[in-house]
Amino acid sequence: MKERGSVPSFLAIGSDGFVTHPGVSRQESRCAAFPSVPPRRVSLCSVNVSVPRHHCGMNDSSSTIADVTSVAAVSTASSSTAATPRRPAVRLRTLRRDDYPALIEILRRTWYSEWSGGQKADSDCSRRLAEADFHSCLARSSEATVAVLHGRPVGVILARVDINVPKRLCLLPNRHHRHIIRALFPLLFSTAGRSGIAEMLRINRVDRRLIRGAKNRYDAEVTLFLVDERIRGGGVGGFLFDDLLERFRRVGVRRYYLFTDTGCNVGFYTRRGLTHRREEKVEWDDGGSTVFYLEEGTV
């Protein structure tokens, strides 16, 4: 689940890592917001910016953490067998800068561990591609929530709400664009790096065609949805997604969209009532193919 569409880069990040909004108090803009290149999809979902693909330890005592149900509440024990051991609590809180390294590493393992743009990517190449992808998503997001387990980020969901946002603010550059340039520039000097960038841009063009063809007006986009592969299936993804939908309701979002593809858990969205609005199949040089989707949901 990633970007696609216009890039609203009107949000700035304060020294403490929280996003601020011109003329809006920090409490009014509850979640971190960040500024757009493209990413691919969301682990469960997908996201896009101007790069593509889809998106450290933390000190819980120093952050404003909203305690939420533990993963035990996310998974139900069988009534016919002995009680399942209680799992550690997962908490949701606003994204902070010190979360970036851990989340970029999850993104790298999910989509960039073996870059398939015709070349085998080394660890530095795949890390830079994942870093650019992550900042692409941040560059166009106004909501950012992290799932934390044992003080470690294990999932993230980013979104952009377009209600009452002046269009002129979507064109302003921001610090995330600089991060993207710094991450990608060294890749121009290697065959694998250039191949990776070319594939990211190709996915970004697919996303743009999908959103242009939809011809609908949306109130919001889920730009990145990512869960650590080691804990998938435990309900953390559903926890993050449902929390975002509740925030959508509070601000008046009625219709939203996201990008995903056959490399992701598309069924997750189907079970939550999203529908395939548009799709496009892409053939790769290695003989494989991917179907990209524009998923539409209502709140």
Side-chain angles (χ1 to χ4, degrees):
M1 310 156 175
K2 278 187 172 183
E3 172 215 274
R4 291 78 184 169
S6 61
V7 176
S9 50
F10 53 93
L11 300 161
I13 303 177
S15 59
D16 56 1
F18 287 88
V19 175
T20 58
H21 195 299
V24 179
S25 69
R26 175 168 301 171
Q27 292 195 322
E28 288 176 308
S29 71
R30 296 184 60 244
C31 288
F34 313 83
S36 106
V37 176
R40 186 171 255 189
R41 297 350 191 189
V42 183
S43 176
L44 288 178
C45 143
S46 189
V47 182
N48 156 64
V49 187
S50 295
V51 179
R53 291 241 175 205
H54 302 348
H55 92 184
C56 188
M58 299 183 299
N59 183 347
D60 290 345
S61 63
S62 64
S63 64
T64 55
I65 296 178
D67 283 357
V68 259
T69 63
S70 68
V71 179
V74 178
S75 64
T76 57
S78 171
S79 59
S80 61
T81 60
T84 301
R86 186 176 182 80
R87 296 185 183 181
V90 170
R91 296 184 175 87
L92 301 187
R93 63 159 172 74
T94 298
L95 176 69
R96 298 197 312 248
R97 284 184 187 166
D98 59 356
D99 299 328
Y100 292 6
L103 295 173
I104 289 172
E105 174 56 22
I106 296 173
L107 183 61
R108 186 196 68 79
R109 293 198 306 266
T110 301
W111 285 299
Y112 297 96
S113 59
E114 292 186 9
W115 185 258
S116 60
Q119 295 289 329
K120 172 75 174 181
D122 58 27
S123 58
D124 181 67
C125 179
S126 61
R127 180 188 60 78
R128 287 181 176 278
L129 290 169
E131 182 179 354
D133 192 354
F134 184 71
H135 281 282
S136 286
C137 296
L138 290 179
R140 48 187 315 282
S141 300
S142 59
E143 303 285 328
T145 301
V146 173
V148 181
L149 178 63
H150 296 318
R152 176 176 62 88
V154 293
V156 63
I157 193 163
L158 306 179
R160 185 189 70 255
V161 176
D162 294 329
I163 296 177
N164 300 323
V165 176
K167 290 185 178 180
R168 61 184 176 81
L169 294 178
C170 299
L171 303 177
L172 300 177
N174 56 70
R175 70 178 64 196
H176 293 289
H177 298 120
R178 295 194 294 272
H179 279 288
I180 293 165
I181 294 171
R182 283 199 296 266
L184 294 182
F185 183 75
L187 300 185
L188 296 175
F189 302 96
S190 72
T191 302
R194 290 193 297 272
S195 179
I197 293 173
E199 186 170 324
M200 296 181 89
L201 295 176
R202 184 179 182 184
I203 295 171
N204 191 47
R205 290 193 293 271
V206 171
D207 290 339
R208 293 183 183 280
R209 288 195 294 270
L210 289 173
I211 192 63
R212 281 199 302 266
K215 298 180 181 179
N216 280 344
R217 179 176 179 80
Y218 296 101
D219 300 319
E221 176 193 358
V222 181
T223 54
L224 176 63
F225 184 23
L226 185 68
V227 174
D228 192 320
E229 73 280 3
R230 293 168 293 188
I231 64 165
R232 288 177 197 158
V236 175
F239 193 17
L240 278 166
F241 201 80
D242 292 342
D243 177 75
L244 177 64
L245 293 185
E246 179 55 37
R247 282 183 280 126
F248 278 175
R249 291 187 189 96
R250 288 199 295 265
V251 298
V253 170
R254 299 183 63 184
R255 181 184 294 176
Y256 66 95
Y257 73 99
L258 60 86
F259 296 98
T260 189
D261 59 49
T262 47
C264 303
N265 185 1
V266 179
F268 175 90
Y269 304 111
T270 303
R271 292 191 294 273
R272 276 170 166 68
L274 281 79
T275 58
H276 294 328
R277 181 67 182 178
R278 294 190 44 126
E279 65 180 66
E280 180 175 331
K281 184 176 181 179
V282 172
E283 303 287 346
W284 304 110
D285 295 338
D286 61 5
S289 64
T290 303
V291 179
F292 294 87
Y293 300 105
L294 170 66
E295 299 280 310
E296 178 181 295
T298 57
V299 179

